[in-house]
Amino acid sequence: MKKKITVFLTTVICLILALCSFSACGFFASAPDGNTPFDVAVDNGYQGSLDNWLADGEGGTTQQKNWYESYLQAVQAGEFTGTFPEFLAAVGDGTAAANKALCSVVSVYAVGTSSHSAGAGVIYSLDKQTGSAYIVTNYHVVYRAALGKVDDHIVVYLYGNETYPNFDPDTSGAIDAYYVGGSMTSDIAVLHVEQSDALKGDSSIARAAVAANSDAVTVGESVFAVGNPLGKGLSVTRGVVSVEREEINATAADGITHMILPEIRTDAAVNHGNSGGGLFNLRGELVGIVNARLDSIKDGAGTEDGVAGFGYALPTNFALAVAESIIDGISYRTDGTIDYEKPAAATRAITGVECAVLSTQTVFNEETCKFYRQEKIVVNRTLLTGSACVTAGLRNGDTLISGKIIHAQREERTVMFTRLHKLDDFLYNVRKNDTVVLTVSRGGETKEISVVFSSPQDFVAVA
């Protein structure tokens, strides 16, 4: 009998309504090109295999590849004689990484009503001279469905400073935090702390999290979930990555909207209050923002089976792209201070086309002991004839190879479109007046299409 899967969130969550199709169904208006990103790399002189090419592009920042380099050194020095998997099992208990992670996570309490709700947040950026910081959390942590808005009073605590069980937001350990913006449909909110003595100076334990490339996360990789379960203060649970990226059905913070979210699945224990906290690897790097758990599975007759070990985190490449978009949209008063009365929203660039996955290849790389996947992403049809991409020359049947963002004040950012979700994450990083250079394969030849996103119509607000 077919089973119905019900996802319960640490409070409630939401998702993104993507503009690119996640289905390979439908007819192409033009014959799709035959090349894949790897084929283009070979045409440009790459001589290795598909698994090595994907590992070079995605595996460089994983703990697997760093451990592999350590493994080779240990073998050459005669310090280890086993296989690489045996080496992984023998090294690193993760204690240092877990404690490092605790410095980058805060407990979050929304206390604007007679009751309070608890969650966690991750320090995204920190100025230790002024004691000011931006904190990324889940939208559902700070939103009150009963009020139809974000709570008016939010406080955060550094590790060890919580006042549970006699919670008191007026104690000396409480740090006032202000909501600057968020996206209900991606379950991301950003808080700001202004000139806090608790965050100021080298003596403060607070530090900004170091983000890893979430596309490099490996199935079986050890991870730590750091959060505020049951509002009892920050704590750590450990597990492994069960699925490196999938989509789950979820209910938005308003308790009504049914959505789908991109997620890393882990078996690290996740409970109410873990929302907004961080998922960290053994190097202490942030790979996701914890936001959900699966509590039960019901079959067609309504019979419920026990289920455990299903925790979820929004991948950093997605979550932080949304957060950065929110931060870049902050409104300021004439005196240079943040105008909290005008919350910022996330924005996403519009391609004006529908994309589909035409084929998928999965390979295994011996050096990194990791599976890699390459999806062939093809323009399926045009949705907006006047969009910047279509006007610049993007056509039906084009195979997307890569994209490069050129921004006046930022480093260039290049992404190989080996998975469809990479395109979606990429579009959150585009800002007004950016130039995006799309490399496509058309008729067996690669072409560069330069697109300037200069109009407000080139973007959509992700509410």
Side-chain angles (χ1 to χ4, degrees):
M1 185 176 291
K2 185 177 180 181
K3 290 187 175 182
K4 177 183 177 182
I5 298 178
T6 304
V7 175
F8 292 86
L9 312 183
T10 47
T11 352
V12 281
I13 62 176
C14 45
L15 87 163
I16 289 181
L17 195 56
L19 292 181
C20 289
S21 169
F22 281 74
S23 167
C25 299
F27 296 95
F28 289 87
S30 299
D33 176 84
N35 280 336
T36 67
F38 175 68
D39 294 330
V40 173
V42 172
D43 289 343
N44 289 330
Y46 185 80
Q47 298 181 349
S49 61
L50 172 61
D51 62 294
N52 282 324
W53 180 74
L54 290 170
D56 289 341
E58 296 180 5
T61 59
T62 65
Q63 71 182 54
Q64 293 289 97
K65 190 156 187 176
N66 286 292
W67 283 131
Y68 187 73
E69 293 171 355
S70 299
Y71 164 70
L72 292 178
Q73 293 172 2
V75 171
Q76 291 171 359
E79 299 171 350
F80 193 82
T81 58
T83 65
F84 178 47
E86 291 171 339
F87 178 79
L88 287 177
V91 297
D93 67 358
T95 303
N99 279 269
K100 178 182 177 182
L102 281 167
C103 295
S104 300
V105 179
V106 296
S107 53
V108 177
Y109 297 87
V111 295
T113 62
S114 57
S115 62
H116 69 269
S117 61
V122 176
I123 301 175
Y124 168 75
S125 64
L126 173 62
D127 185 338
K128 284 214 168 189
Q129 288 188 331
T130 65
S132 300
Y134 286 108
I135 296 168
V136 178
T137 186
N138 289 144
Y139 190 87
H140 75 263
V141 167
V142 295
Y143 180 87
R144 293 292 185 97
L147 302 176
K149 67 184 183 70
V150 171
D151 228 319
D152 295 324
H153 187 191
I154 301 169
V155 296
V156 302
Y157 293 85
L158 296 176
Y159 176 65
N161 290 336
E162 300 94 341
T163 57
Y164 187 90
N166 299 311
F167 176 74
D168 182 358
D170 295 322
T171 58
S172 59
I175 304 169
D176 286 328
Y178 303 91
Y179 173 74
V180 298
S183 169
M184 180 183 288
T185 56
S186 56
D187 201 26
I188 290 295
V190 178
L191 309 177
H192 187 240
V193 173
E194 294 182 346
Q195 300 181 355
S196 167
D197 290 338
L199 303 181
K200 191 180 299 184
D202 294 335
S203 61
S204 172
I205 65 171
R207 64 175 66 186
V210 176
N213 173 14
S214 58
D215 285 327
V217 166
T218 305
V219 171
E221 178 176 350
S222 293
V223 287
F224 298 99
V226 183
N228 182 21
L230 302 183
K232 293 184 176 182
L234 295 179
S235 63
V236 178
T237 54
R238 180 171 177 170
V240 299
V241 172
S242 304
V243 179
E244 81 281 6
R245 183 144 177 166
E246 64 179 331
E247 296 172 351
I248 67 169
N249 295 322
T251 303
D254 60 6
I256 301 173
T257 308
H258 180 261
M259 299 291 189
I260 302 171
L261 279 170
E263 303 279 0
I264 297 170
R265 191 204 303 175
T266 174
D267 68 353
V270 171
N271 293 286
H272 295 284
N274 270 105
S275 287
L279 190 69
F280 296 85
N281 62 22
L282 278 184
R283 293 168 58 84
E285 299 166 331
L286 182 71
V287 296
I289 301 295
V290 177
N291 72 319
R293 68 175 184 175
L294 180 66
D295 280 344
S296 65
I297 296 179
K298 294 182 180 180
D299 62 21
T303 303
E304 184 172 309
D305 297 326
V307 62
F310 274 53
Y312 295 97
L314 299 168
T316 51
N317 288 7
F318 167 77
L320 297 187
V322 175
E324 289 171 0
S325 178
I326 294 167
I327 292 171
D328 286 347
I330 289 175
S331 297
Y332 294 89
R333 302 184 184 95
T334 55
D335 61 0
T337 59
I338 295 175
D339 188 349
Y340 298 114
E341 299 299 320
K342 299 178 181 178
T347 61
R348 180 179 179 275
I350 297 172
T351 61
V353 299
E354 178 184 77
C355 298
V357 176
L358 190 61
S359 63
T360 301
Q361 292 173 276
T362 302
V363 292
F364 181 76
N365 183 269
E366 295 288 346
E367 291 188 354
T368 60
C369 286
K370 176 179 176 178
F371 282 98
Y372 295 91
R373 186 179 302 168
Q374 176 183 239
E375 296 172 346
K376 180 181 174 66
I377 304 165
V378 178
V379 178
N380 190 13
R381 61 177 177 142
T382 299
L383 299 175
L384 299 171
T385 56
S387 69
C389 290
V390 174
T391 301
L394 191 63
R395 297 180 185 174
N396 297 340
D398 284 351
T399 298
L400 299 183
I401 304 300
S402 66
K404 178 170 65 176
I405 301 174
I406 302 174
H407 190 284
Q409 280 79 42
R410 294 188 181 132
E411 293 184 7
E412 292 184 359
R413 183 181 306 212
T414 301
V415 173
M416 299 299 297
F417 296 136
T418 53
R419 300 285 297 276
L420 183 56
H421 72 254
K422 291 187 177 185
L423 172 61
D424 195 58
D425 295 348
F426 177 84
L427 294 173
Y428 275 100
N429 289 293
V430 179
R431 302 290 182 267
K432 190 172 183 291
N433 296 323
D434 281 357
T435 297
V436 172
V437 179
L438 294 174
T439 299
V440 303
S441 184
R442 180 186 299 163
E445 297 182 358
T446 56
K447 297 181 178 294
E448 288 190 348
I449 300 172
S450 184
V451 186
V452 180
F453 287 82
S454 58
S455 170
Q457 283 69 42
D458 297 330
F459 299 85
V460 60
V462 185

